[in-house]
Amino acid sequence: MFGSREFSKPNLLHGLIGRATGNDLRVLVVPGPELALAGGLDLMDAGLRMASGPRDANVLLLLPPLGDKMLNAASVAFAQMPRPRAIVALGVKNISPLPEADIYGELSQAGLIESVNSLRLHFAQNSFSNSVQSFDAPALQSRIEYTCPMHPEVVSNQPGSCPKCGMDLVPRETGTDTGQPEEKSVQKTQSSSNAAHAHSSHVKTAPAEVDHGEHKKADGESGDATAKYTCPMHPEVVSDEPGSCPKCGMFLEPVKAESDHGSHSHGSHSHESESSVSKLIGLEPGFMSMIEMTEGTPRSSDGLQMEWITVPFGPFFPGLPAGFGLELTLDGDNVAKATTSSFCGFSDSLENGPINAGDYVENLQGQMPLAPLTYRLLACRAIEAAAEKTSENDNLRDATLAQERIASQLRWLTNLGRQLGLKGIERKAAKLQLLIIGADYEQIIKLTPELSQFIKKVKATPFLRRRLDAVGELPPQSNWDGPQSIENNAAGRLVARLDDISQSLALIKKAGAIGEIKLAEIGNAAGHGHASVDTARGKANLHVELKGGQVISAKLDTPSMRHTELVAPLTDQQELGDALVAIASIDISPWEMRV
Amino acid sequence: MSSFVLIASLIFATYGVAVIEEWVSTNRLRLAGPLISTLRLLGQENILPRKSDRLFFEVGPVLLLIAALLSLAVIPLAPGLIVTDLATGALFFNAALAYVLVAMIMAGWGPDGAYGMIGGWRFLGQLIAYAMLVVMPITTVAMRAESLSTIDIVNSQEMLWNIAYQPLGFLLFLFAGMAMAFVPPFDLPVASGELAGGVEAEYTGVRLIIFRLGRMVLILSVSSAIVVFYLGGWLGPFGPDWSWSMIKILGVAALMLSGGRMLPRIREATLLAWSWKLGIPLALANIFLVGVLVLVVPL
Amino acid sequence: MSQLQQYAILFGLTVGTLGLVLSLYALARAIGKTRKEPGKDVPATAGQLSRDPVWVRYHARYTTFALLFLAFDMEMAFMYPWAVVYKEEGLVALLDMGVFLAILFLGLLYGWSQSALKRQ
Amino acid sequence: MTLELVVTLIIAAAMFGTGIYGALSQTNLVMIMMGIELILAAALLNLVAFWRYLHPDAIEAQMFVLIVMTVMAVEMAVGFAVAITRFRSRGSVEMEEAQELKG
Amino acid sequence: MSVQVIFLLAFGLAAVWFGIVVFRTHSMVRSALALLFSQTAVGAMFLVMQAEFLGVLQIMMMATEMSIMAIFMVMFMMDPGGLGEMDMKHQRKLSLWAGIIAFGGASGLALFGDWGPIATQIPDAGEQVRLLGIELLGRSMLIFESAGLTILTAMIAATSIAVQPPHRPKETPDKSKEPYQVHNHGGAA
């Protein structure tokens, strides 16, 4: 009813179109294709093709676990999908903001294939129907807020005049707060200043004229001797000539030193031209001066003052980790600022009192769908350390951890292949990952030659190293404990992850068997325990406090929490494509980030 | 009669390119694939973005299709089988394909979407990289043929194809042709990994059909230009001449589409730097080389 | 076929394509209407609604490449007639164009040395 | 036959008038350059009309057209370079704010 | 009223109308592309006048150059999308009169000047390109080389103006605590 298009009496052509839509399915996976791979679902084999955006998709595939923020984003994506569209929910029951799913299936490859077949039937029958309803969701409501064109940070809910410059506020449509992942910071960036152009009111000679005159323009060439020049971002850099700041390359701005206020009488700096713009002779009233507009804006690396736009690279961006909310402030196609958030972060399950150890282990495993066994092992080890018990098959457990590491690195390779447009690597890595995830010991040993041959193929891809070695330079003292590599860039991390796969394979071969991770019997022990596990993304450690066989407090520190701080320095002043590859190269899992 | 054969063969070639493109990207050869996806898009809603520049949004894909078709108008499939044999055919091919850029800017700027706008202006940067590398190899081809008409160019390759006569020009034209048709690894404006569909992101329904059709005809026209300028058009040892040009065109299209998939997407800065620092000097050297060759070798 | 007839055919080809496109639009409109729903016509940015207008002063990083391209592009206009008559004219044409191309290459080298051929 | 020549010349005159109106009325450097482009296009039109209808054997006219095209390209290149520098130092290329450049 | 006049009138009116749209529209990219289509219409008029090489050249050159003009307009003008309906004009009266007088003068000249015999015999397209080539290498070689020099000066002028001289501090700054003194020995006075 929410998916089909309205037509009074569908005829033969509509039937044909319905069947064609059924045979050419473009799927938008919520939360993301990695979840499908981690759950062992082969979408390509089932006949589904990945869609690059909501406009391109006609099937919304929902996979567990789904938080309410993720469901809000899914409702936004569903609203933007053109009809005829359908929702398929595998292993998920309540998808509140979204309407009733058209097809429910259970989370397995057989369930997927069966639901794809019933989806083809569904599209063939009711792509077009006469009873159709509009889909609405809380995330789609919009309200009008008023902001001042010159000072985007002034925001109010009713029209009026801006306290700073007295210009009347301009209506601007924005989403209600429930829809946005986190509070829209009041200090909006440049983007709303271009909404300023919606104002047709002329520049009133507002009281703020006074400070215009003071701000002497940096006339690069004819800098007079007495003026001091300092860098806007590093005030301690002081030079007596114009130029660019050695630290950050920004242009040095003239600073109004007290001593030279009275003395500047040099030719080009006649006092008169210093006066504010609107007093220039021969200027028609109501002239919209551009100097005022570009005055405050920061300069880009080539000295031009341009406008920046804030663009969300939201939870379902192909190439970025699923559920990772990234908002880039773009200066042209350079990234000026990056803010990260997570649509599916984990929350401590101990708010409502202590729970017994077994449930805590299951709970932590459920919250981390991308690395379930790793965090199950971490919880077991921490609890066993607290209860001073040691489990007997520890090296077998390491083999399970190694298997999951291989699966995680292969998913990372699929993501990198999709981002760089290398379809061959993307398909092969996905196929291998599906084989590894369900394999027992003998199958893994049989897979080893295929895996090492694939690793050689990835390393031999022409121009791949050249594309990656200029990208993702980590600042020197950053706390990066992911796969260590000699060269500190994306190419180095790629090679490190490929070596990590071969090391894990060797570890599994040495361990001899894949052990099942079970919590040792701890009765009602008490005490403090600390454990740390080397996951595919870095070192995760957990501090647990036990009392009477129950966990009263736990402090989890995951690698992704630490690595999100690296996103900002990594992408500063980088080209957009390089910034996205750099973010993908540090492999952040939004599930491991706090809500 | 020959115009009917011409139109039928162009439609068949475009469908062939579409089948190859889907085969390369999904690793599944489905002959009915393009027909099914066209029907699907025909059934899709046509969403108009809210505060868009409606004129640009509508004209963009149509201009892309018209530019690609006009560039096909000067390509001979057989001695008589050509839409219009202009005396400055090679130049007209290049002039028609300059409007692909205008169409992409319109399609990018129109819908007021961030991905589309960035994709559109990136394609202008890409044009600045490949434009000179398209022009100079065509000059050397015209030098050998002593005329700009495409039929004379093919006849001039009677003895020796241009790929053997000026291989450097062939490589530059292939590189620039792939960049002109924004085929991966040069798919900067419609990069699905970096810009989530870029210029195509805001288009749905029948406008997307026109955009995709324009793109397929563009790939067809670039590969047929490579065949006409460098692989001796319809010249072939035996059999009907139009079959030779058809085989060569589909072969070059398959080579371009599958070969490009093995390389990661190129960065715009690298593309600009390589084509201006290495491409243009090589093209100038190619002009001198062929200049001497044309005078010395009686071929 | 005289030139004017050929241009008429090209003009007819353009008008024919416009006709094809309009008929396809009419067919699509006949199949069904687009339903107005909240949030559907906002530019789609990967799962979030971006309502702010994006028509800003886009900062292109290839400005110096563009300037060099504007001047260098003119060389093409002179090269086509030269290429057509090259075989007849022989050596003098090669030297003549050699000087022209050398001059232009000088401009390119100057740009290269002033780091204009870089992403600004 | 003179009708075609006169029609072309009148259209070129109209473009010339539009170019002059544009160049004089706009406040932005880039828009003024667009006005100049229109004027040059009108000049091109006249040249080709004179070549076609009056002296088709004088091929120098086509050479002259190539030179005028070069002028158009060169003028744009240098004009934009000036626009970039001015924008970098002053933050705007509005001619209203370029008073201090006066002699 | 031969077919040529009809096409000349059609393309001519299109060119003039696009020329007017260039200055009336608020969106800068629309105005740049209007100029582009105006130049294309002029190129089409060249084709109608059987100057094939010049027409195709004009259509090609103007497409790329006007797109570059479009990006520069978007970079340097206040509101490229035209949302603010801002009117960036001054001295309206003067420029309107200048335009009308220019149009009147030129068209008056066109109407009342006697142009003498109209030629009917025109070399065909291929022949024109060949003649232009021979002209290029023959009588107008000096013009051809001076055009090359003009392009060279334009390239050098544009690069030297637009590209910022790379600012590299002469020696690595010392890390002492007191404010950061940058010593540019021999830098620009």
Side-chain angles (χ1 to χ4, degrees):
Chain A
M1 203 182 11
F2 289 94
S4 46
R5 274 185 87 176
E6 187 180 12
F7 199 80
S8 46
K9 37 185 182 14
N11 54 29
L12 176 68
L13 179 59
H14 293 110
L16 210 60
I17 288 174
R19 264 209 309 285
T21 317
N23 286 332
D24 185 12
L25 297 172
R26 295 290 173 94
V27 71
L28 183 67
V29 189
V30 168
E34 288 106 83
L35 266 296
L37 286 178
L41 303 175
D42 186 348
L43 299 177
M44 299 284 279
D45 175 41
L48 296 170
R49 275 180 74 176
M50 290 295 167
S52 61
R55 295 272 195 250
D56 185 21
N58 52 20
V59 178
L60 192 69
L61 180 63
L62 298 171
L63 300 173
L66 286 171
D68 61 356
K69 255 202 282 188
M70 184 62 77
L71 280 171
N72 274 327
S75 64
V76 166
F78 183 66
Q80 292 189 325
M81 278 161 67
R83 292 170 181 247
R85 56 192 179 194
I87 299 182
V88 174
L90 295 183
V92 184
K93 278 295 163 277
N94 131 48
I95 43 175
S96 64
L98 288 167
E100 228 13 72
D102 300 300
I103 283 129
Y104 284 96
E106 20 96 5
L107 190 59
S108 71
Q109 184 65 13
L112 173 67
I113 290 175
E114 186 257 327
S115 46
V116 164
N117 293 338
S118 52
L119 188 64
R120 286 204 172 93
L121 225 60
H122 166 76
F123 269 129
Q125 269 136 22
N126 40 35
S127 279
F128 292 84
S129 76
N130 31 38
S131 73
V132 162
Q133 229 182 338
S134 285
F135 164 69
D136 200 348
L140 306 171
Q141 264 65 39
S142 71
R143 58 176 170 76
I144 304 290
E145 71 178 14
Y146 293 86
T147 170
C148 162
M150 279 301 175
H151 308 90
E153 65 281 1
V154 168
V155 174
S156 83
N157 284 343
Q158 65 282 359
S161 76
C162 158
K164 287 210 177 128
C165 66
M167 288 175 50
D168 49 10
L169 297 181
V170 163
R172 194 167 63 81
E173 195 191 3
T174 169
T176 50
D177 294 341
T178 55
Q180 306 306 341
E182 89 293 343
E183 279 323 301
K184 263 280 187 272
S185 62
V186 175
Q187 162 56 36
K188 288 282 285 185
T189 52
Q190 282 288 332
S191 67
S192 56
S193 82
N194 53 51
H197 306 305
H199 76 88
S200 58
S201 69
H202 300 298
V203 172
K204 285 199 288 296
T205 52
E209 279 311 291
V210 172
D211 72 328
H212 279 310
E214 295 323 305
H215 189 76
K216 206 158 52 160
K217 288 313 285 174
D219 42 8
E221 290 68 30
S222 66
D224 46 34
T226 57
K228 283 275 168 294
Y229 287 82
T230 174
C231 171
M233 297 237 281
H234 306 89
E236 75 282 4
V237 169
V238 176
S239 136
D240 46 16
E241 259 123 17
S244 69
C245 153
K247 283 195 176 167
C248 66
M250 295 268 293
F251 257 74
L252 299 186
E253 303 278 344
V255 78
K256 190 185 66 51
E258 289 63 29
S259 63
D260 80 343
H261 184 73
S263 68
H264 58 78
S265 59
H266 300 277
S268 73
H269 264 283
S270 67
H271 196 82
E272 188 269 337
S273 82
E274 248 220 308
S275 67
S276 80
V277 169
S278 59
K279 284 204 258 317
L280 289 175
I281 36 166
L283 200 57
E284 285 184 8
F287 169 75
M288 181 44 202
S289 137
M290 188 161 174
I291 288 188
E292 270 169 27
M293 213 192 69
T294 57
E295 202 141 29
T297 52
R299 283 179 185 279
S300 315
S301 55
D302 68 349
L304 301 178
Q305 292 165 314
M306 283 303 183
E307 279 182 51
W308 297 354
I309 48 173
T310 315
V311 180
F313 289 76
F316 311 129
F317 192 79
L320 285 182
F324 182 63
L326 178 73
E327 200 163 84
L328 296 176
T329 306
L330 293 176
D331 160 24
D333 62 358
N334 258 15
V335 176
K337 195 160 72 69
T339 53
T340 58
S341 68
S342 162
F343 276 69
C344 45
F346 80 95
S347 60
D348 285 342
S349 53
L350 295 174
E351 294 90 6
N352 33 39
I355 53 175
N356 62 42
D359 300 348
Y360 179 78
V361 169
E362 298 306 329
N363 191 298
L364 188 60
Q365 178 180 357
Q367 282 199 349
M368 302 284 178
L370 285 185
L373 298 181
T374 313
Y375 281 91
R376 181 184 176 81
L377 178 65
L378 180 67
C380 293
R381 280 212 179 126
I383 292 169
E384 279 148 11
E388 288 94 24
K389 286 252 183 344
T390 60
S391 127
E392 63 297 337
N393 55 3
D394 219 25
N395 61 354
L396 297 191
R397 285 174 159 185
D398 283 345
T400 330
L401 176 67
Q403 178 185 5
E404 182 146 288
R405 283 165 67 97
I406 296 175
S408 171
Q409 304 298 12
L410 286 172
R411 274 195 300 275
W412 178 78
L413 273 172
T414 321
N415 210 342
L416 188 74
R418 181 173 310 122
Q419 190 169 31
L420 291 178
L422 292 166
K423 284 250 182 318
I425 290 182
E426 179 189 352
R427 263 200 299 272
K428 186 70 174 151
K431 199 181 302 326
L432 283 174
Q433 196 268 337
L434 290 168
L435 292 175
I436 285 279
I437 204 119
D440 58 10
Y441 178 72
E442 288 73 22
Q443 284 161 338
I444 290 183
I445 300 305
K446 267 210 302 308
L447 271 174
T448 320
E450 200 178 338
L451 254 175
S452 40
Q453 194 258 338
F454 172 65
I455 289 172
K456 259 198 285 314
K457 184 164 95 71
V458 170
K459 281 185 179 163
T461 316
F463 292 110
L464 184 56
R465 291 188 66 81
R466 173 182 302 278
R467 170 73 168 85
L468 292 178
D469 62 16
V471 161
E473 196 79 22
L474 281 173
Q477 70 287 354
S478 60
N479 48 25
W480 164 254
D481 61 359
Q484 297 306 330
S485 61
I486 324 111
E487 319 145 54
N488 165 14
N489 53 29
R493 285 192 280 279
L494 167 72
V495 170
R497 288 210 168 88
L498 292 176
D499 301 344
D500 183 24
I501 292 181
S502 13
Q503 282 150 17
S504 309
L505 273 175
L507 193 132
I508 291 177
K509 198 181 300 250
K510 192 157 57 60
I514 302 279
E516 215 275 340
I517 298 176
K518 275 199 306 305
L519 182 57
E521 201 22 62
I522 56 161
N524 42 26
H528 288 274
H530 174 76
S532 93
V533 160
D534 209 352
T535 75
R537 293 180 175 78
K539 199 164 292 309
N541 27 50
L542 173 66
H543 183 86
V544 162
E545 199 190 332
L546 272 186
K547 202 149 82 39
Q550 291 200 327
V551 176
I552 22 174
S553 90
K555 198 183 76 52
L556 177 64
D557 168 29
T558 63
S560 294
M561 274 190 240
R562 293 191 299 277
H563 295 166
T564 38
E565 286 89 31
L566 297 179
V567 167
L570 209 56
T571 56
D572 193 31
Q573 293 303 335
Q574 291 287 326
E575 200 251 348
L576 174 63
D578 298 349
L580 294 177
V581 169
I583 292 170
S585 78
I586 50 176
D587 192 7
I588 292 168
S589 152
W591 306 92
E592 293 173 0
M593 287 160 61
R594 209 166 284 291
V595 163
Chain B
M1 218 309 273
S2 80
S3 63
F4 174 71
V5 167
L6 184 63
I7 292 168
S9 50
L10 284 185
I11 291 171
F12 169 76
T14 316
Y15 195 84
V17 168
V19 168
I20 293 171
E21 209 269 338
E22 196 198 340
W23 180 19
V24 165
S25 61
T26 61
N27 218 0
R28 247 185 358 196
L29 180 62
R30 222 167 54 148
L31 288 185
L35 196 62
I36 290 175
S37 60
T38 313
L39 267 175
R40 170 178 78 90
L41 289 176
L42 202 62
Q44 221 178 34
E45 278 183 327
N46 306 315
I47 298 176
L48 292 178
R50 197 160 34 108
K51 277 211 303 283
S52 70
D53 185 334
R54 183 67 192 280
L55 179 72
F56 279 6
F57 186 71
E58 298 292 353
V59 169
V62 180
L63 185 60
L64 179 69
L65 182 60
I66 288 177
L69 276 177
L70 281 182
S71 68
L72 264 181
V74 283
I75 301 288
L77 297 178
L81 213 57
I82 183 168
V83 176
T84 58
D85 172 22
L86 293 178
T88 58
L91 194 59
F92 187 81
F93 167 78
N94 201 353
L97 285 188
Y99 284 79
V100 168
L101 163 74
V102 179
M104 293 298 272
I105 289 181
M106 280 186 175
W109 184 264
D112 193 7
Y115 301 149
M117 187 191 75
I118 294 174
W121 295 124
R122 261 188 180 185
F123 190 66
L124 175 58
Q126 189 167 329
L127 172 113
I128 291 174
Y130 73 72
M132 292 320 290
L133 294 185
V134 167
V135 161
M136 291 192 204
I138 291 184
T139 321
T140 48
V141 163
M143 236 195 308
R144 185 180 180 212
E146 288 192 71
S147 131
L148 285 171
S149 139
T150 40
I151 289 193
D152 294 351
I153 287 175
V154 173
N155 288 335
S156 77
Q157 298 175 46
E158 199 75 37
M159 307 295 291
L160 182 67
W161 286 0
N162 269 338
I163 183 169
Y165 196 84
Q166 37 190 317
L168 183 59
F170 170 73
L171 287 178
L172 289 174
F173 192 77
L174 183 66
F175 168 84
M178 287 171 76
M180 191 190 316
F182 45 93
V183 161
F186 301 103
D187 56 350
L188 286 163
V190 284
S192 78
E194 260 166 46
L195 285 173
V199 174
E200 268 179 7
E202 292 304 321
Y203 281 94
T204 56
V206 79
R207 290 177 189 83
L208 193 56
I209 292 180
I210 302 288
F211 196 93
R212 292 254 167 89
L213 183 61
R215 228 188 131 192
M216 289 307 140
V217 175
L218 180 61
I219 294 173
L220 173 71
S221 95
V222 166
S223 41
S224 54
I226 289 173
V227 164
V228 163
F229 290 143
Y230 286 96
L231 294 173
W234 62 80
L235 303 173
F238 52 85
D241 42 29
W242 56 266
S243 68
W244 272 110
S245 55
M246 194 55 71
I247 293 166
K248 285 187 213 166
I249 288 175
L250 292 182
V252 167
L255 167 85
M256 271 202 324
L257 287 168
S258 54
R261 297 266 167 202
M262 287 186 261
L263 302 175
R265 185 171 308 110
I266 197 166
R267 289 164 57 209
E268 195 203 4
T270 325
L271 179 62
L272 274 164
W274 276 99
S275 55
W276 275 78
K277 291 182 179 168
L278 181 71
I280 289 186
L282 275 183
L284 293 176
N286 175 38
I287 288 175
F288 277 110
L289 204 65
V290 174
V292 170
L293 223 59
V294 161
L295 293 185
V296 169
V297 174
L299 222 50
Chain C
M1 251 210 315
S2 90
Q3 290 166 357
L4 287 181
Q5 278 168 332
Q6 286 171 346
Y7 309 148
I9 291 175
L10 288 179
F11 192 66
L13 186 68
T14 327
V15 171
T17 333
L18 275 180
L20 166 87
V21 164
L22 289 181
S23 57
L24 214 57
Y25 279 17
L27 176 64
R29 183 183 298 277
I31 286 175
K33 288 201 315 304
T34 309
R35 190 173 183 78
K36 276 250 158 305
E37 286 172 300
K40 175 176 270 187
D41 54 6
V42 177
T45 41
Q48 288 182 22
L49 297 174
S50 59
R51 288 189 165 89
D52 296 331
V54 163
W55 288 336
V56 283
R57 294 186 292 115
Y58 181 80
H59 186 184
R61 299 284 166 157
Y62 41 80
T63 44
T64 50
F65 279 102
L67 295 180
L68 279 178
F69 174 75
L70 277 176
F72 210 86
D73 205 11
M74 273 325 292
E75 164 238 1
M76 157 173 66
F78 290 103
M79 278 225 302
Y80 276 111
W82 167 76
V84 167
V85 288
Y86 175 75
K87 213 163 191 177
E88 279 173 64
E89 298 282 330
L91 202 56
V92 72
L94 183 64
L95 295 179
D96 194 9
M97 188 47 99
V99 169
F100 185 76
L101 290 183
I103 290 174
L104 262 72
F105 194 54
L106 217 63
L108 190 65
L109 286 183
Y110 174 77
W112 195 340
S113 63
Q114 298 295 316
S115 76
L117 296 185
K118 224 193 256 33
R119 180 181 164 79
Q120 291 303 342
Chain D
M1 273 299 267
T2 60
L3 178 65
E4 284 152 5
L5 175 62
V6 170
V7 157
T8 319
L9 293 185
I10 289 175
I11 285 169
M15 287 185 72
F16 180 55
T18 322
I20 286 196
Y21 164 73
L24 292 181
S25 72
Q26 290 294 336
T27 60
N28 197 304
L29 170 65
V30 186
M31 287 302 275
I32 292 170
M33 276 166 56
M34 291 182 79
I36 296 168
E37 293 291 318
L38 265 175
I39 295 170
L40 284 168
L44 274 181
L45 204 54
N46 277 348
L47 274 173
V48 175
F50 290 143
W51 170 77
R52 162 66 174 78
Y53 293 113
L54 300 182
H55 311 286
D57 49 357
I59 205 73
E60 294 83 6
Q62 301 219 352
M63 188 65 199
F64 197 5
V65 167
L66 284 186
I67 298 300
V68 171
M69 276 190 187
T70 317
V71 165
M72 279 169 95
V74 161
E75 176 257 341
M76 268 171 71
V78 180
F80 288 143
V82 166
I84 291 178
T85 325
R86 175 145 178 82
F87 192 86
R88 179 177 297 140
S89 66
R90 277 298 176 281
S92 106
V93 278
E94 298 297 325
M95 285 306 113
E96 285 301 316
E97 288 144 358
Q99 309 286 346
E100 76 275 15
L101 291 185
K102 271 192 179 142
Chain E
M1 280 299 280
S2 72
V3 175
Q4 277 188 323
V5 175
I6 296 167
F7 272 108
L8 270 179
L9 260 181
F11 286 126
L13 291 181
V16 173
W17 186 71
F18 278 124
I20 293 168
V21 160
V22 163
F23 299 112
R24 260 169 34 109
T25 172
H26 293 297
S27 150
M28 294 309 138
V29 184
R30 262 191 192 198
S31 120
L33 291 187
L35 181 62
L36 189 146
F37 284 117
S38 157
Q39 305 277 7
T40 314
V42 167
M45 283 173 83
F46 291 173
L47 287 180
V48 169
M49 287 193 270
Q50 286 152 8
E52 175 167 327
F53 174 69
L54 293 179
V56 174
L57 198 68
Q58 166 88 348
I59 289 176
M60 172 161 64
M61 305 291 295
M62 287 308 141
T64 45
E65 281 175 21
M66 291 309 151
S67 314
I68 289 175
M69 173 170 269
I71 183 69
F72 275 107
M73 287 183 72
V74 161
M75 278 172 76
F76 295 137
M77 298 190 68
M78 215 174 303
D79 161 30
L83 296 171
E85 310 295 333
M86 269 181 295
D87 205 355
M88 300 300 298
K89 289 196 177 62
H90 59 114
Q91 55 186 4
R92 276 183 187 68
K93 271 279 162 295
L94 170 91
S95 44
L96 200 59
W97 274 110
I100 290 168
I101 289 166
F103 170 63
S107 51
L109 213 65
L111 284 170
F112 303 118
D114 66 334
W115 297 108
I118 299 294
T120 52
Q121 229 301 323
I122 305 160
D124 78 343
E127 196 49 33
Q128 278 174 28
V129 179
R130 215 178 64 74
L131 281 176
L132 187 58
I134 293 166
E135 166 69 23
L136 197 70
L137 299 174
R139 255 166 47 90
S140 317
M141 182 187 286
L142 181 64
I143 301 172
F144 168 51
E145 295 306 338
S146 58
L149 274 176
T150 328
I151 297 174
L152 174 67
T153 42
M155 284 165 88
I156 292 179
T159 326
S160 58
I161 294 176
V163 176
Q164 263 180 89
H167 272 270
R168 274 184 296 282
K170 297 299 171 295
E171 28 92 19
T172 51
D174 48 10
K175 294 271 184 302
S176 59
K177 280 281 154 290
E178 34 83 22
Y180 212 80
Q181 261 306 337
V182 175
H183 313 291
N184 287 10
H185 302 302

